[in-house]
Amino acid sequence: MLILVSLAVGIGLGIVLSPAVPPPVAPYLPMAVMAALDSVFGGLRARMERTFDERIFVVSFLSNSTLAALLVWAGDRLGVNDLSIAVVVAFGVRIFQNLAAIRRMVFRA
Amino acid sequence: MAGVRSSRTGRSATAAVALVLGFIVATAWTQEGRRHRTVEGRRAELAALVAARQSRLDGLERDFARLRVDLSALTSRSADAGLLALQGEVDRLRAAAGLVPVHGPAVVVELADSPLARRGDPGSLDFRIQDVDLQAVVNELWAAGAEAVAVGGERIISTTAIRSAGGAVLVNYRVLTSPYRVAAIGDESAIRRALEASATARRFRRWGQVYRLGFRIDERSMTLPAFRGGLGFRYARPAPPGPGPRGTPAPDRKEG
């Protein structure tokens, strides 16, 4: 409950403040979002499997989103273009796997 | 699992993470919307700029045409016989060079983009009339004996280029859009016969079925406008008369 309220407050803050992301940073924000969503669905799945660990959730959320953004940023600096695709594919696949696991638990199918 | 922690700090940390998550997702969401709007706004700005420059160009060309008329009026009022003879020669050459409007029987070819072409979609180029299509038709008309040709109201002269710029076609640096009307003055039935028998027309008839490109040939009497642009030759000079070697490159020309 507390978590859902925090989430709603966060979304509300984001919409109300709608902070201007500086253009040099803008391409890396979606990477952090992908990583964060991955953590969320991973956490949801763990919760349903009763293996949820808040420490793992918090650490994985922070480290994954920061590392994803930093890695893509470093890739752009090093001339490894489109590293963002790797992030999207890697986290995308994991998100879908977690979603599938959640679906199996919810619908037993 | 045994190691599940549910301490107070753990809960509040998770809540904080949820807050951060909601915040960055919302930020990314609004950011993306803002980016879209910026791109749209910039496009409108550029379109307005193009329109403004085009109307300025129109004004300058009108001035230019008026000054040309004034000049020839002043010259013809002169009593100098030599000057009048020269003026007659100039008038004849100007007609040949496409600098005066001409009137006569014409064959009009209308080419149109396919209704399947979508606006702003670069992938639908096959469904659009492109520079090469207009070039082919113009060449076919010259070959069929046309004496004067205009594309979309732009007179084709010795320095005219028909080329693509993005999705649009430029003739004499003017942006033209579909439908394109290519008009040729000359012996209309001969031109029409030659055109109908040409490979170009056959191709367009087939493309009309495949891509639904528009292609229509008409005959009517028409006035073709004069060339409206400037004719500044900065480098080309009339060569001395006489049978010189043909096609010899200038010796000081560097390659590469």
Side-chain angles (χ1 to χ4, degrees), chain B residues 50-126:
Chain B
V50 169
R53 290 286 153 86
Q54 188 88 53
S55 74
R56 205 185 117 135
L57 183 62
D58 285 338
L60 289 173
E61 277 174 355
R62 266 197 305 279
D63 291 354
F64 187 49
R66 211 191 50 236
L67 290 171
R68 236 184 219 158
V69 171
D70 288 357
L71 179 64
S72 57
L74 286 172
T75 321
S76 63
R77 234 180 283 153
S78 156
D80 189 332
L83 191 56
L84 284 179
L86 267 180
Q87 184 61 44
E89 173 79 359
V90 167
D91 286 345
R92 215 172 49 72
L93 290 174
R94 276 161 55 86
L99 301 181
V100 290
V102 286
H103 181 83
V107 172
V108 181
V109 184
E110 192 178 290
L111 300 110
D113 288 350
S114 163
L116 304 173
R118 283 191 303 277
R119 265 178 88 91
D121 177 8
S124 60
L125 266 186
D126 283 351

Side-chain angles (χ1 to χ4, degrees), chain A residues 6 10 18 21 36 40 52 54 61, chain B residues 10-11 14-15 17 21 23 34:
Chain A
S6 306
S18 70
V21 181
V40 168
F52 183 70
E54 278 162 340
F61 173 88
Chain B
R11 275 198 77 88
T14 310
V17 162
L21 173 80
F23 187 70
R34 192 167 355 195

Side-chain angles (χ1 to χ4, degrees), chain A residues 15-40:
Chain A
I15 289 171
V16 170
L17 298 178
S18 70
V21 181
V25 186
Y28 310 112
L29 183 64
M31 300 302 109
V33 170
M34 279 303 282
L37 285 177
D38 170 57
S39 299
V40 168

Side-chain angles (χ1 to χ4, degrees), chain A residues 2-3 6-7 9-11 13-15 17-21 26 29 32-33 36-37 40 50-55 57-58 61, chain B residues 1 3-7 9-28 30-32 34:
Chain A
L2 173 67
I3 291 166
S6 306
L7 186 68
V9 169
I11 292 174
L13 274 180
I15 289 171
L17 298 178
S18 70
V21 181
L29 183 64
V33 170
L37 285 177
V40 168
R50 303 188 184 290
T51 57
F52 183 70
D53 183 328
E54 278 162 340
R55 203 174 60 91
F57 176 70
V58 171
F61 173 88
Chain B
M1 203 173 169
V4 175
R5 288 166 37 137
S6 194
S7 62
T9 49
R11 275 198 77 88
S12 49
T14 310
V17 162
L19 191 110
V20 171
L21 173 80
F23 187 70
I24 66 170
V25 168
T27 304
T30 52
Q31 176 74 10
E32 197 56 20
R34 192 167 355 195

Side-chain angles (χ1 to χ4, degrees), chain B residues 193-211:
Chain B
R193 249 198 328 277
L195 187 61
E196 298 273 15
S198 70
T200 303
R202 268 206 310 283
R203 262 203 309 277
F204 272 108
R205 301 252 185 248
R206 199 169 63 237
W207 289 340
Q209 288 161 8
V210 178
Y211 298 107

Side-chain angles (χ1 to χ4, degrees), chain B residues 96-186:
Chain B
L99 301 181
V100 290
V102 286
H103 181 83
V107 172
V108 181
V109 184
E110 192 178 290
L111 300 110
D113 288 350
S114 163
L116 304 173
R118 283 191 303 277
R119 265 178 88 91
D121 177 8
S124 60
L125 266 186
D126 283 351
F127 296 91
R128 285 174 199 282
I129 299 295
Q130 294 170 48
D131 51 354
V132 286
D133 302 325
L134 295 175
Q135 285 162 12
V137 170
V138 168
N139 285 345
E140 215 59 72
L141 290 169
W142 286 128
E147 292 173 357
V149 177
V151 178
E154 285 300 321
R155 190 73 171 271
I156 306 298
I157 65 159
S158 61
T159 55
T160 297
I162 301 177
R163 60 190 184 86
S164 284
V169 176
L170 293 184
V171 179
N172 291 340
Y173 297 104
R174 290 248 152 198
V175 179
L176 302 183
T177 49
S178 171
Y180 305 91
R181 251 180 229 98
V182 185
I185 290 183

